[in-house]
Amino acid sequence: MKKPIILFVIDGLGDRPISSLGGKTPLEAATTPNLDKLAAQSRLGLIQVCDHPKDGYTSSESGHLSLFGYPREEFPGRGVLEALGLEIPIKDGALYFRANFATLKDGLVVDRRVGRISENTTSLSQVITLKKDEYQFNVFSGVEHRAVLEIIGPHLSPKITTNDSKEENVPPLEVKPEEDNEDSKNTAKLLNQYLNQVSQILEKQPLNQARETIGLAKANYLLVRGASVGMKVQSFGEKYNLKAVAVAGGKLYRGIATYLGMTLLPVMGATGDHQTNLQSKFEAASSAFKNYDFVFLHIKAVDEFGHDGKCLEKKEFIEKIDQFLPSLGSLENAVVAITSDHATPCELKTHTSDPVPLLILDSVKSLANQRFTEKDCQKGTLGLIRGLDLMPLLLKLSKVKLSKG
Ligand code: ZN
Ligand code: ZN
């Protein structure tokens, strides 16, 4: 009989030594008695999640798809995954983008996330959902600053560049064709015109005027990236002959799970940010063991603190995860892997392709006095593995016969 597998991904967990944490990483500096107990019974190692991180930047979607064993050719692109996460049905030939509401001031992008805007942005999405000649532009609001842009019409191509430089206090980039063909050129031109129009429309919205009167930044621009069209891949369940379920609050991760055909478990209070209800997520994952062979559990907030350069908050959130870890229940008869999709070092405020810590619990025997940290994982017996090697390893371990009782 197969042991159920739980893959717990703590987004952006990996980090580098930080002077204000006494030269420790947030994971090393955190007080984590429950993770320590688990680490003492587990094998540790590091994962080089992506084989070809583009310019050193490892995205969450490519990180996850690698961990799930899908090679690069099977990545549909961020836009489609975000759209699936918002439960938008993917239409043939339509183009999807991950979008950020952003703040444009004097021609510069001064805040890429409008301070992670707390108001619902639906009223903004509605006014920039419009028809222009034969093209329909649909905008769907996600959590905080996040949104999805869908473009429906003829002669569209995902082969275009982004307007998001990923930097602040610089002008937005002009969208350019990536291929020398009419569809690519047409899409770039169309998008540049639309984005210009968007900033004019958003500027005057009541929500923005209200924000301005209380000194808050306006959500008056849209940054778009991850242009993609729908594609089909073999489902995770078919690929591995596993009944798989996902426990995730973040829309992208729900989108990835949907793309791979995993069941999505509804979890009360799973928000995909630091306000998420960790206890109910762990309890949901725990009860899913009874009915599924594979549980994908995702926690997002650690990555966000990394992006915001908040190392103390990152450390504290890791401690919070540790505190609720016992809600996962008995892990004796399961294969448990805890890892991350990429590092988000606080001092860099962005993703890096640094190898990330990996813990695998597959037997209950006391090993060395080791902790789940970047340093101890580097010395771990699993060594350094590739992202694509993780699933084969977990499958091998899960076929071990169940112990009695
Ligand atoms: Zn990530
Ligand atoms: Zn991130």
Side-chain angles (χ1 to χ4, degrees), residues 11-12 57-60 78 113 116 146 166 225 253 300 302-307 341-344 349-351:
D11 208 294
Y57 181 87
T58 309
S59 65
S60 287
R78 175 89 177 223
R113 304 183 184 90
R116 299 194 184 278
R146 300 179 187 92
K166 297 217 174 241
R225 63 183 198 269
Y253 311 93
K300 178 67 182 168
V302 172
D303 174 58
E304 293 190 345
F305 288 128
H307 282 290
D341 52 341
H342 53 75
T344 312
K349 299 186 179 180
T350 190
H351 302 177

Side-chain angles (χ1 to χ4, degrees), residues 59-76:
S59 65
S60 287
E61 61 276 21
S62 53
H64 277 81
L65 286 164
S66 276
L67 294 176
F68 291 135
Y70 287 77
R72 199 168 183 78
E73 308 78 67
E74 297 183 19
F75 297 2

Side-chain angles (χ1 to χ4, degrees), residues 115-362:
R116 299 194 184 278
I117 185 165
S118 56
E119 294 99 327
N120 185 316
T121 59
T122 304
S123 67
L124 301 180
S125 291
Q126 280 167 351
V127 289
I128 52 174
T129 286
L130 45 92
K131 199 166 164 57
K132 210 168 174 289
D133 304 325
E134 45 194 337
Y135 293 96
Q136 177 65 44
F137 293 83
N138 296 321
V139 181
F140 305 88
S141 287
V143 179
E144 297 177 336
H145 54 283
R146 300 179 187 92
V148 165
L149 168 65
E150 175 188 58
I151 311 179
I152 303 168
H155 302 295
L156 294 172
S157 164
K159 298 292 180 191
I160 50 163
T161 61
T162 171
N163 67 335
D164 184 4
S165 67
K166 297 217 174 241
E167 285 175 24
E168 291 178 343
N169 300 311
V170 293
L173 302 172
E174 190 191 341
V175 177
K176 293 194 175 132
E178 273 185 336
E179 283 181 352
D180 188 20
N181 63 49
E182 287 314 308
D183 288 3
S184 192
K185 288 177 194 165
N186 172 56
T187 310
K189 191 173 152 203
L190 192 71
L191 198 55
N192 283 320
Q193 288 170 351
Y194 173 72
L195 293 170
N196 256 330
Q197 200 180 347
V198 157
S199 73
Q200 289 163 18
I201 298 171
L202 290 179
E203 187 66 34
K204 305 181 209 101
Q205 290 312 305
L207 174 61
N208 275 329
Q209 285 172 349
R211 282 178 66 87
E212 194 176 31
T213 54
I214 52 169
L216 292 175
K218 288 183 182 178
N220 58 0
Y221 193 58
L222 213 55
L223 292 168
V224 295
R225 63 183 198 269
S228 47
V229 292
M231 61 186 272
K232 284 240 179 310
V233 290
Q234 189 183 27
S235 78
F236 186 87
E238 274 174 31
K239 191 175 168 82
Y240 300 116
N241 192 23
L242 293 173
K243 208 174 149 201
V245 69
V247 179
K251 301 297 182 198
L252 171 64
Y253 311 93
R254 296 176 68 81
I256 292 170
T258 305
Y259 176 64
L260 299 181
M262 294 180 185
T263 302
L264 272 171
L265 221 55
V267 182
M268 282 282 287
T271 55
D273 64 13
H274 67 279
Q275 288 167 327
T276 200
N277 187 333
L278 289 176
Q279 180 156 354
S280 68
K281 281 179 92 166
F282 285 149
E283 283 171 0
S286 171
S287 66
F289 276 151
K290 297 180 197 98
N291 304 313
Y292 295 89
D293 311 312
F294 183 92
V295 182
F296 161 46
L297 170 62
H298 181 262
I299 304 276
K300 178 67 182 168
V302 172
D303 174 58
E304 293 190 345
F305 288 128
H307 282 290
D308 294 341
K310 295 179 173 167
C311 61
L312 202 62
E313 284 87 342
K314 186 168 174 179
K315 172 187 104 74
E316 285 167 358
F317 201 84
I318 293 168
E319 289 172 343
K320 200 170 156 192
I321 291 174
D322 183 83
Q323 193 191 323
F324 287 103
L325 202 63
S327 307
L328 271 179
S330 167
L331 300 170
E332 271 181 40
N333 288 321
V335 175
V336 184
I338 307 180
T339 188
S340 189
D341 52 341
H342 53 75
T344 312
C346 293
E347 286 187 341
L348 300 177
K349 299 186 179 180
T350 190
H351 302 177
T352 66
S353 55
D354 299 357
V356 294
L358 167 67
L359 172 158
I360 297 183
L361 174 79
D362 68 302

